Amino acid sequence: MGQFINNFILKYFDTSLYFPSIRWVDILEIIIITILIYQLINWINNTKAWMLLKGILVMAVFVLVAYLLEMHTILYIVKHSVTVMATAAIVVFQPELRRALEKLGEKQFLSSVLALDKNTQARFNDETKEDIIAACFAMGRVKTGALIVVERAIQLTEYESTGIKVDAVLSKQLLLNIFEHNTPLHDGAIIVRGDRIVAATCYLPLSDNTAISKELGTRHRAALGLTEVSDAVVIVVSEETGNVSLASGGDLYRNIDETLLRDKLTELQAKMTKENRILKFIRRRKANER
């Protein structure tokens, strides 16, 4: 590839100009750096790190002015406090840095390419999908709050252990019974793995995103919080309004109707099927190689 480009340039362009040799590794390196910079910018834009970046830019301008005006005392202080400020920034923004590393490790292409997941993710069937939809809007009509987590490639064992083990086949009647007011399991979230409810009354992490509307309550913040640290999809039924919302990838789709919820769950089914095929193919190929 690189040799072809070099020959083309030498034939049709001025050979007195300098053109560096281009290898396929160089192109791959540029792509990787571009993806990393894009992810870094996204992370900075969606967290408190944006304030840190603005503070660093202001300080950089201040140091530049001090350098131009030869303010030696200020330059001496800045020089000997850089390490302390860097350490302080890491301590202050530890939650954001931790979440960024979690996101990096939870990217689906890593689990697909490297086949990190030992077990194929459980895909829910059409009957389970229709039962979830029917139950959500039945609860919405009587303003019964609900929080339904649909697990994907990343197992939610950490959050499952905070609740009560259920391990029952999902049905509309079971969902209505769990979230009925004043029942032992109505508070908290349920976790759905495939066609089964594995746990109820689970506690989910709340989102720290300051851009979230003040109208949203704890259920919506918990739904967003979980989708920020995992690839799960969370369905929320508001106890105040009866509206149904869906959280995925840190985004919240509010006040959706039955058609949109069905489309979202059908799309999720297709993604899980595709990911399962990729994982099965990789494992089969590795088995054949052995």
Side-chain angles (χ1 to χ4, degrees):
M1 179 72 178
Q3 189 63 36
F4 173 78
I5 295 174
N6 287 336
N7 292 338
F8 180 82
I9 292 172
L10 290 172
K11 185 175 180 180
Y12 294 102
F13 294 90
D14 185 4
T15 56
S16 62
L17 298 175
Y18 170 72
F19 293 97
S21 177
I22 301 176
R23 303 170 300 160
W24 70 268
V25 177
D26 299 324
I27 298 173
L28 179 62
E29 190 176 21
I30 292 170
I31 293 172
I32 292 173
I33 292 172
T34 303
I35 293 173
L36 290 176
I37 292 175
Y38 173 76
Q39 294 292 342
L40 179 63
I41 292 173
N42 267 346
W43 173 68
I44 288 174
N45 189 44
N46 294 324
T47 64
K48 298 175 185 176
W50 175 240
M51 295 184 291
L52 174 65
L53 182 61
K54 288 194 291 187
I56 291 174
L57 291 175
V58 171
M59 184 169 288
V61 172
F62 177 73
V63 172
L64 178 62
V65 172
Y67 176 78
L68 294 175
L69 298 179
E70 298 182 355
M71 298 178 178
H72 300 294
T73 305
I74 292 177
L75 293 175
Y76 175 84
I77 295 172
V78 170
K79 180 180 178 181
H80 289 81
S81 60
V82 168
T83 306
V84 176
M85 288 188 291
T87 305
I90 292 174
V91 172
V92 171
F93 289 91
Q94 182 267 339
E96 283 73 22
L97 292 171
R98 180 173 177 268
R99 190 173 297 118
L101 292 174
E102 287 175 346
K103 278 289 184 183
L104 183 63
E106 289 163 1
K107 289 297 179 184
Q108 292 174 19
F109 70 85
L110 286 177
S111 60
S112 299
V113 174
L114 301 179
L116 295 176
D117 297 295
K118 294 181 180 179
N119 301 317
T120 303
Q121 56 185 312
R123 174 188 178 276
F124 56 92
N125 60 30
D126 291 337
E127 184 179 353
T128 297
K129 176 181 68 178
E130 294 301 325
D131 279 343
I132 291 174
I133 295 169
C136 285
F137 286 94
M139 288 185 287
R141 283 190 288 271
V142 294
K143 295 186 178 180
T144 299
L147 196 55
I148 302 171
V149 179
V150 180
E151 185 185 78
R152 292 184 60 191
I154 300 171
Q155 290 203 348
L156 305 174
T157 311
E158 175 186 353
Y159 306 105
E160 180 184 340
S161 62
T162 65
I164 298 173
K165 186 175 180 180
V166 177
D167 193 23
V169 176
L170 186 148
S171 66
K172 174 186 174 182
Q173 292 74 16
L174 181 56
L175 288 175
L176 294 176
N177 194 291
I178 287 175
F179 290 111
E180 181 62 35
H181 292 290
N182 301 321
T183 56
L185 301 180
H186 85 282
D187 194 21
I190 67 164
I191 296 178
V192 177
R193 182 176 298 145
D195 298 316
R196 304 184 72 84
I197 299 174
V198 294
T201 69
C202 299
Y203 294 101
L204 307 182
L206 299 181
S207 175
D208 294 327
N209 190 347
T210 55
I212 297 175
S213 172
K214 302 300 181 184
E215 300 174 0
L216 300 180
T218 305
R219 280 193 180 88
H220 293 84
R221 288 183 176 274
L224 280 172
L226 183 65
T227 60
E228 287 172 354
V229 298
S230 74
D231 61 352
V233 170
V234 185
I235 304 167
V236 186
V237 181
S238 173
E239 192 171 353
E240 289 74 24
T241 64
N243 293 329
V244 178
S245 302
L246 182 139
S248 175
D251 295 322
L252 183 66
Y253 304 90
R254 298 179 62 184
N255 308 336
I256 60 177
D257 56 17
E258 289 190 39
T259 303
L260 184 54
L261 180 57
R262 183 173 289 105
D263 291 343
K264 290 288 184 183
L265 292 178
T266 303
E267 182 182 338
L268 179 59
Q269 281 181 309
K271 285 181 180 178
M272 294 173 76
T273 302
K274 183 178 179 181
E275 290 163 5
N276 284 344
R277 287 174 180 170
I278 292 172
L279 290 173
K280 286 179 181 177
F281 171 76
I282 293 173
R283 280 197 288 271
R284 190 162 54 244
R285 184 171 178 178
K286 290 171 74 175
N288 292 336
E289 288 175 354
R290 284 197 296 268

